[in-house]
Amino acid sequence: QVQLVESGGGLVQAGGSLRLSCAASGRNFDTYRMGWFRQAPGKEREFVAAITWNAGTTYYADSVKGRFTISRDKAKNTVYLQMNSLKPEETAVYYCAADRLWFSRSSVVSTATYDYWGQGTQVTVSS
C-alpha cells in the first residue's frame, strides 16, 4: 500500500501564504496522478488541484487558479501545494490523494477516482 503523509499546515492571516507537502512511499509513480482536496467542517470534500507524476500536467479548481500552484519533486517523492493570498473561507483540512492510473479517464475532481489518501493537515486562515 502507498502511504501519503501531509505536512505544512498551520495558522496564517488572511492574505498570507503556506506551502503544504505530501511525502509518498514507493519507488515508481510514473502512472500516478496526485491530488489535493480540502474539507471544512460540515462540508463536502472538494477538489483543489492535481498533477500527473510523469509529465507534470496540472489541473486546478476555478476558485484557486492564479493563487495556488501544485508541483512535484520526483527525487524526493514529494508533492507540494503552494497557497498564496489565502482567504478565511479556505480554512479546512487539506488532504493529499493518489490516483494510481491517471489515464483511466476517471474525473480528476472526484474523490472516488483516488486510491490512496493521507491523514490530512489543518489549515486555518484568520481574518
Side-chain angles (χ1 to χ4, degrees):
Q1 291 279 335
V2 170
Q3 290 186 316
L4 307 172
V5 180
E6 303 98 330
S7 62
L11 176 64
V12 65
Q13 293 184 339
S17 298
L18 283 174
R19 189 173 77 158
L20 306 183
S21 298
C22 173
S25 66
R27 66 176 184 176
N28 188 351
F29 293 91
D30 286 348
T31 66
Y32 278 59
R33 178 187 287 124
M34 309 297 293
W36 286 97
F37 290 74
R38 63 190 178 193
Q39 187 168 25
K43 303 293 185 180
E44 297 281 330
R45 190 169 298 186
E46 68 173 347
F47 172 77
V48 177
I51 186 168
T52 62
W53 188 261
N54 189 27
T57 304
T58 58
Y59 311 81
Y60 294 97
D62 287 343
S63 62
V64 307
K65 287 180 180 177
R67 296 187 298 117
F68 289 15
T69 303
I70 188 170
S71 61
R72 84 275 191 253
D73 186 329
K74 292 182 178 181
K76 297 180 179 179
N77 277 7
T78 300
V79 180
Y80 303 97
L81 184 68
Q82 177 67 45
M83 305 185 294
N84 298 328
S85 301
L86 281 161
K87 306 172 181 179
E89 57 264 38
E90 293 175 314
T91 293
V93 176
Y94 283 69
Y95 295 91
C96 180
D99 168 18
R100 64 187 179 91
L101 298 175
W102 70 267
F103 47 82
S104 69
R105 298 192 66 183
S106 297
S107 174
V108 299
V109 307
S110 173
T111 58
T113 294
Y114 296 83
D115 303 292
Y116 307 102
W117 293 85
Q119 83 290 342
T121 186
Q122 176 71 46
V123 172
T124 302
V125 185
S126 63
S127 60

